[in-house]
Amino acid sequence: MRRPHALARAATRRQRLAALAAGLCLSAALAAPAGAGEQAALAPPPAADAIQDAGPTRNGREIYQRFRDGLADKTCEPGVSNRWRQHFATAPKRLASQDDDLLPLFGYVVDALREASLPTEYALIPFVESGYRPGARSASGPAGLWQMIAMTARNHRVPMREGYDGRYSPVESTQAAVRYLKTLHGMFGGDWRLAVMAYNAGEYRVLNAVKRGGQSIAATRHDQLTGLSDITTAYVRKLHALSCLMEQADDRAEWLAALDRPVPRLIAVNVPAEIDSIGEWAARTDQDSARLLRLNPAFGDGRIGRNGGQRAPLLAVAANAVGTPGPIAADVAVAGGELLAKPDPADAGGTADNAGKTLAHAGTPARDAEAPRSGSVERNSETTGTGRDAKRTKETKTVAAAPRRHTVGRGENAWTIAKRYGVRAADLLKLNGLNAKAVLKPGQALVIDAPSGGRK
């Protein structure tokens, strides 16, 4: 615990730095020439009704165009930052890949920045910090998409408690990053270059560097600041090189063609209280549960946790199925009771590091070229009959003669399969020798009915 006099000194130092920041920002506003704000002018955020009416997918070219339209600096001189262009050479390929979550995530961050009227250069920060991997973690402490340290996360209202680290939530970490960048953007007179340097090094280090230069923020050139680390001074070049890499790619026509495809539109979802797991939400909205797990490593065990009595948000596809006919709440709640046993503390853990490790194991789903997308029935059990009793009788006889089997498809879980065949999920798992925490894999063969005949 810090002593009272140490706390007093720290408070005095914060007050002085705050006064310095206010003074520099005021001088920037007074010194800025007329029309200077036009250079960083941004397109207005999309209308609320447009976002609400948006469908579950959009064209990848639209995401890229929104990014380009929101840039504060669209210029790309030949040969700009060749070193960093080579360093980030794989970024465009990942954006173009249909097997990567990067483009949907990138679109989500671009949308958040455009809605906040911030330059989309900031959408490139997760490339540099985490490679756009929500479960990224550093041995030195930073974690998540934006690689925030714990102190920065708490200062910007990212919830962190036992069993839940909001830095691993793309929703909560992005909300915090946008709030922070909005503050920095205003603090440094709308200069995105100074703002990203402050994001990397801390605002007061950059403010002190500006003070040493003896100029106002408006008159300060980012490349003339002294006393900052090489990593911080290179940050602007990294982001600009990334932006230009997409604009000047050698295979640009082919790359743009690869972007010309439907891409999931991601949004923050407040999952209803009766749904306790990502698997249940995936089943209800007909989404890929493996993808939802990759996008939401804060829920390392797949259970949607609570934060201070509130539901933590889930990053998911803007599915039209939300709120439309599907499994009713009671059915979903029952399925949850059957499928999800209380996790073993030895398996789940309660730290961000464990959450990240869980993602590392489940990050890339097995892709069996021959695994069916929606599952397949290995025996046709279609029946005929005029009445329900007759149908059930014939079905029971057929099952006794030849038990049904099912091959697991992508995105399927025990509950969705059990629902399809009219059996209990708990019975299905028990019949196949699986426990309540079992994760089904595409291509896995399941027995639907007991060999001795009949369903319970």
Side-chain angles (χ1 to χ4, degrees):
M1 181 178 294
R2 301 172 75 176
R3 297 177 182 272
H5 62 273
L7 292 171
R9 286 200 305 270
T12 302
R13 180 174 177 272
R14 285 196 297 270
Q15 290 172 356
R16 289 174 179 172
L17 289 173
L20 170 63
L24 287 171
C25 291
L26 177 60
S27 64
L30 294 175
E38 296 177 2
Q39 182 178 358
L42 299 172
D49 56 350
I51 297 173
Q52 185 176 2
D53 296 338
T57 64
R58 56 179 161 176
N59 192 282
R61 292 282 294 270
E62 176 191 340
I63 296 174
Y64 176 65
Q65 190 58 50
R66 279 180 61 77
F67 164 73
R68 286 293 302 168
D69 290 344
L71 290 172
D73 183 1
K74 297 183 176 68
T75 61
C76 287
E77 64 274 14
V80 59
S81 302
N82 284 327
R83 173 190 173 187
W84 297 115
R85 284 167 58 89
Q86 294 175 7
H87 183 80
F88 295 111
T90 60
K93 295 179 181 178
R94 287 188 58 207
L95 278 169
S97 173
Q98 297 190 43
D99 296 327
D100 201 303
D101 299 320
L102 176 53
L103 189 53
L105 270 172
F106 183 64
Y108 173 72
V109 173
V110 167
D111 287 345
L113 291 168
R114 294 297 300 274
E115 290 168 31
S117 296
L118 290 172
T120 48
E121 275 91 351
Y122 298 146
L124 301 173
I125 291 175
F127 272 113
V128 176
E129 295 290 346
S130 67
Y132 256 97
R133 292 180 173 87
R137 60 197 182 279
S138 171
S140 60
L145 196 69
W146 297 87
Q147 287 293 283
M148 291 184 178
I149 61 173
M151 180 182 296
T152 300
R154 290 191 177 96
N155 287 343
H156 294 279
R157 308 197 300 275
V158 176
M160 297 177 65
R161 59 179 175 80
E162 184 178 359
Y164 182 83
D165 188 336
R167 294 178 297 172
Y168 291 106
S169 164
V171 175
E172 299 198 280
S173 65
T174 298
Q175 288 173 347
V178 170
R179 283 195 299 266
Y180 186 27
L181 289 166
K182 187 85 171 178
T183 300
L184 295 175
H185 194 72
M187 183 180 291
F188 291 98
D191 188 328
W192 71 269
R193 300 169 183 82
L194 294 176
V196 297
M197 293 173 73
Y199 183 89
N200 175 255
E203 57 266 39
Y204 294 122
R205 283 195 179 95
V206 178
L207 285 170
N208 282 329
V210 172
K211 182 181 178 182
R212 285 193 297 270
Q215 294 182 316
S216 67
I217 288 177
T220 298
R221 287 178 54 91
H222 73 281
D223 54 356
Q224 293 178 350
L225 294 178
T226 60
L228 298 172
S229 70
D230 292 341
I231 294 176
T232 299
T233 56
Y235 215 82
V236 173
R237 295 196 299 274
K238 291 179 183 180
L239 298 188
H240 190 51
L242 261 168
S243 174
C244 293
L245 183 60
M246 301 176 198
E247 186 70 13
Q248 299 176 338
D250 295 335
D251 59 346
R252 181 169 170 77
E254 181 181 347
W255 180 69
L256 288 174
L259 296 184
D260 191 9
R261 69 179 193 271
V263 175
R265 184 190 302 272
L266 301 179
I267 61 170
V269 175
N270 293 318
V271 178
E274 67 268 15
I275 296 179
D276 293 325
S277 77
I278 287 177
E280 293 171 44
W281 181 249
R284 179 164 182 169
T285 59
D286 194 25
Q287 297 189 46
D288 184 347
S289 60
R291 168 184 280 160
L292 291 181
L293 285 168
R294 293 195 306 270
L295 291 174
N296 296 275
F299 308 119
D301 58 358
R303 300 181 71 89
I304 302 174
R306 297 177 184 271
N307 176 36
Q310 300 294 321
R311 299 282 282 182
L314 183 74
L315 186 65
V317 178
N320 290 333
V322 178
T324 60
I328 61 174
D331 289 342
V332 174
V334 170
E338 292 176 350
L339 280 176
L340 297 171
K342 185 176 181 180
D344 187 338
D347 295 333
T351 65
D353 189 58
N354 285 335
K357 288 177 181 177
T358 304
L359 178 76
H361 289 296
T364 305
R367 291 187 171 90
D368 186 346
E370 297 181 0
R373 286 188 173 271
S374 57
S376 62
V377 185
E378 295 182 9
R379 183 184 57 78
N380 186 352
S381 59
E382 183 176 348
T383 60
T384 59
T386 56
R388 180 178 296 181
D389 293 339
K391 182 176 181 179
R392 284 181 177 174
T393 301
K394 187 166 185 177
E395 183 181 51
T396 301
K397 292 179 180 178
T398 305
V399 169
R404 294 172 297 175
R405 297 178 181 274
H406 178 85
T407 301
V408 178
R410 289 175 184 159
E412 288 189 317
N413 56 44
W415 181 77
T416 58
I417 296 170
K419 190 75 173 177
R420 176 175 177 178
Y421 291 98
V423 299
R424 296 177 67 246
D427 294 340
L428 176 66
L429 291 170
K430 182 178 180 181
L431 181 61
N432 287 273
L434 302 172
N435 61 36
K437 294 186 290 184
V439 177
L440 304 183
K441 298 180 180 179
Q444 183 176 353
L446 297 177
V447 177
I448 304 300
D449 306 296
S452 57
R455 287 178 293 176
K456 294 181 181 180

